[in-house]
């Protein structure tokens, strides 16, 4: 327990900031605080924080780091929000469907642009293509499920999970602080949550879907924080001074 501290939440804190301050990760903090909701921490609340001695240096929290974290969190929030809207539009045959799909498909471009600064045009384009495929397959699965075409659902689902593997492989190949296994696990969890969300709408389990969205948000923001942490550690020279 020498590497576990009791930490009192302060104004402006979130779990990513706390994790960075103590050389640990959001995932490790959650593992030591069963039932903790990252989106509802309050000033004065006491949590347990593991100090990870394996990292070579702490991440300094400054405006550049916070700016990147805010961007990644916004992109993942938009990702799950517009995915949810498109699912509802498809299930309920709403007239806004094509417009919502167009907005959803801006998200992969925005992710690509966020990665371009650090990894260049080739990686940015690959991110855009893979995330576009991810979202397109999700929409096609909803259509097939709504039509009760189980064979088509299974075919598309296999492609969807292969796409998740491709995303995990790409991320692991460009950043030494990201692993294929870690990203595969997070992306598979994301796919399962989106699947449950679609099935809840199709089967009119609306109350369950409200509760599910909280879990989807927690999981998506965890991916955002993982992206931030990996980029900041890999490109620490770009995040070294307070501006």
């Amino acid at each position: 327990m020498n590497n576990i501290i009791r930490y009192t939440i302060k104004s402006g804190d979130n779990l990513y900031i706390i994790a960075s301050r103590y050389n640990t990760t959001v995932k490790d903090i959650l593992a030591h605080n069963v039932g903790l909701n990252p989106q509802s921490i309050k000033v004065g609340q006491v949590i347990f924080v593991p100090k990870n001695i394996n990292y070579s240096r702490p991440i300094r929290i400054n405006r550049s780091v916070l700016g990147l974290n805010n961007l990644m969190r916004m992109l993942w929030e938009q990702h799950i929000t517009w995915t949810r809207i498109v699912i509802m539009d498809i299930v309920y045959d709403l007239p806004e469907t094509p417009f919502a799909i167009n907005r959803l498909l801006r998200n992969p471009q925005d992710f690509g642009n966020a990665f371009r600064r650090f990894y260049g045009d080739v990686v940015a384009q690959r991110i855009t293509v893979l995330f576009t495929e991810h979202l397109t397959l999700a929409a096609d699965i909803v259509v097939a499920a709504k039509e009760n075409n189980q064979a088509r659902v299974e075919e598309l689902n296999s492609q969807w999970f292969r796409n998740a593997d491709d995303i995990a492989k790409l991320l692991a190949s460009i950043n030494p602080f990201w692993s294929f296994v870690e990203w595969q696990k997070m992306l598979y969890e994301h796919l399962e949550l989106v699947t449950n969300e679609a099935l809840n709408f199709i089967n009119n389990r609306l109350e369950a879907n409200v509760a599910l969205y909280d879990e989807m948000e927690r999981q998506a923001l965890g991916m955002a924080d993982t992206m931030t942490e990996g980029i900041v550690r890999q490109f620490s020279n770009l995040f070294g001074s307070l501006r």
Side-chain angles (χ1 to χ4, degrees), residues 76 79 105 107-109 111-112 115 122-138 159-174 187 191:
W76 276 108
H79 184 94
L105 292 180
N107 185 253
Q109 299 172 30
F111 267 111
F115 273 70
V122 174
V123 169
Q125 179 61 23
R126 186 64 178 150
I127 287 287
T128 300
V129 169
L130 287 174
F131 273 61
T132 299
E133 183 180 47
H134 160 74
L135 293 172
T136 302
L137 285 167
Q159 296 177 34
W160 204 27
F161 276 84
R162 284 198 299 271
N163 167 264
D165 288 343
D166 289 341
I167 294 173
K169 288 175 185 175
L170 175 62
L171 293 175
S173 73
I174 63 175
L187 290 168
L191 300 193

Side-chain angles (χ1 to χ4, degrees), residues 31-51:
H32 285 81
N33 296 270
V34 177
L36 179 65
N37 185 341
Q39 304 313 309
S40 63
I41 60 173
K42 300 177 181 178
V43 173
Q45 182 178 357
V46 176
I47 63 174
F48 295 103
V49 178
K51 294 189 294 183

